[in-house]
Amino acid sequence: MQDPAIQEAFVRLVSEHRGMLYKVCRLYCFSEADRQDLFQEIVFQLWRSYPRFRGEARISTWLYRIALNTAISGLRKQRGLITTVEPDRLPTELQDIQYPAEKEEQVQLLYAAIDKLTEVEKALTMLYLDDRSYNEMEEILGISQNNLRVKMNRIREKLRKITQADVYGIGKS
């Protein structure tokens, strides 16, 4: 894609949704360097897929699907190290998102609890926290709505127990 208008539209799209993309990176990577590598890999996969986006799904659904698939498949392949490829002419005008310092502790506690979930539970939790409908979750994850509701109830209970144990020491030996 050498057309400057296409590149500009792509950069605008990723910039508008970089917070969501960074959340995916935050859920699946421990270090800032790994998060940056995953972010680059997600942008690369989006760039490769951008010409084939037909608009049949909402753009956010398409972005989530590619971001989550990239994160999960990268973890399965290498468990912690994701190799990135720097293609020619990949737009470089994208900036990282930073959390305000006062919220960082709360964010750390949330991610510590979510980190104890399975890969699919992490994805479902992120989509839920992003106020995605069960229709959209079904489209992104390929899991039926009934199954999603059951999983979400189990995840809520699991997170409640994790946070009680981590914050209040309940259930710790």
Side-chain angles (χ1 to χ4, degrees):
M1 282 191 287
Q2 297 178 8
D3 183 352
I6 293 172
Q7 287 184 9
E8 185 178 319
F10 178 78
V11 168
R12 188 172 39 256
L13 172 72
V14 173
S15 293
E16 288 171 5
H17 296 281
R18 74 175 183 252
M20 179 271 296
L21 298 174
Y22 192 75
K23 280 186 230 177
V24 171
C25 297
R26 187 84 185 237
L27 282 176
Y28 291 96
C29 294
F30 298 107
S31 74
E32 184 60 32
D34 288 343
R35 287 190 289 266
Q36 289 174 1
D37 287 347
L38 178 56
F39 185 85
Q40 289 176 1
E41 182 66 21
I42 290 169
V43 170
F44 172 69
Q45 294 303 327
L46 289 168
W47 178 248
R48 284 184 53 211
S49 302
Y50 191 61
R52 294 185 302 277
F53 178 67
R54 297 183 306 263
E56 294 171 358
R58 290 178 31 184
I59 194 77
S60 60
T61 301
W62 176 76
L63 288 165
Y64 265 123
R65 184 178 300 141
I66 290 175
L68 289 170
N69 285 338
T70 301
I72 291 170
S73 67
L75 282 175
R76 287 182 179 152
K77 286 179 190 172
Q78 297 186 349
R79 281 293 189 216
L81 178 62
I82 297 174
T83 305
T84 60
V85 178
E86 190 67 35
D88 293 340
R89 299 187 188 99
L90 181 64
T92 58
E93 297 86 18
L94 302 171
Q95 300 175 8
D96 277 337
I97 189 169
Q98 297 294 322
Y99 286 102
E102 61 271 6
K103 290 189 177 184
E104 188 62 29
E105 186 177 341
Q106 289 177 323
V107 170
Q108 290 294 334
L109 290 172
L110 174 63
Y111 282 107
I114 293 172
D115 188 52
K116 295 176 182 175
L117 302 174
T118 68
E119 293 169 353
V120 173
E121 289 171 339
K122 287 178 186 181
L124 182 53
T125 301
M126 184 188 62
L127 293 170
Y128 178 81
L129 292 174
D130 247 2
D131 291 327
R132 299 297 167 179
S133 70
Y134 281 108
N135 285 336
E136 199 170 356
M137 289 183 209
E138 178 179 31
E139 194 173 334
I140 293 167
L141 298 174
I143 300 172
S144 74
Q145 288 187 40
N146 287 337
N147 198 358
L148 285 170
R149 284 180 172 80
V150 169
K151 284 183 180 294
M152 201 60 236
N153 285 330
R154 290 179 182 158
I155 291 168
R156 281 187 200 108
E157 182 61 23
K158 195 172 183 179
L159 284 173
R160 187 184 63 74
K161 288 179 180 177
I162 291 169
T163 55
Q164 284 181 342
D166 289 349
V167 174
Y168 301 111
I170 297 172
K172 290 187 175 182
S173 303

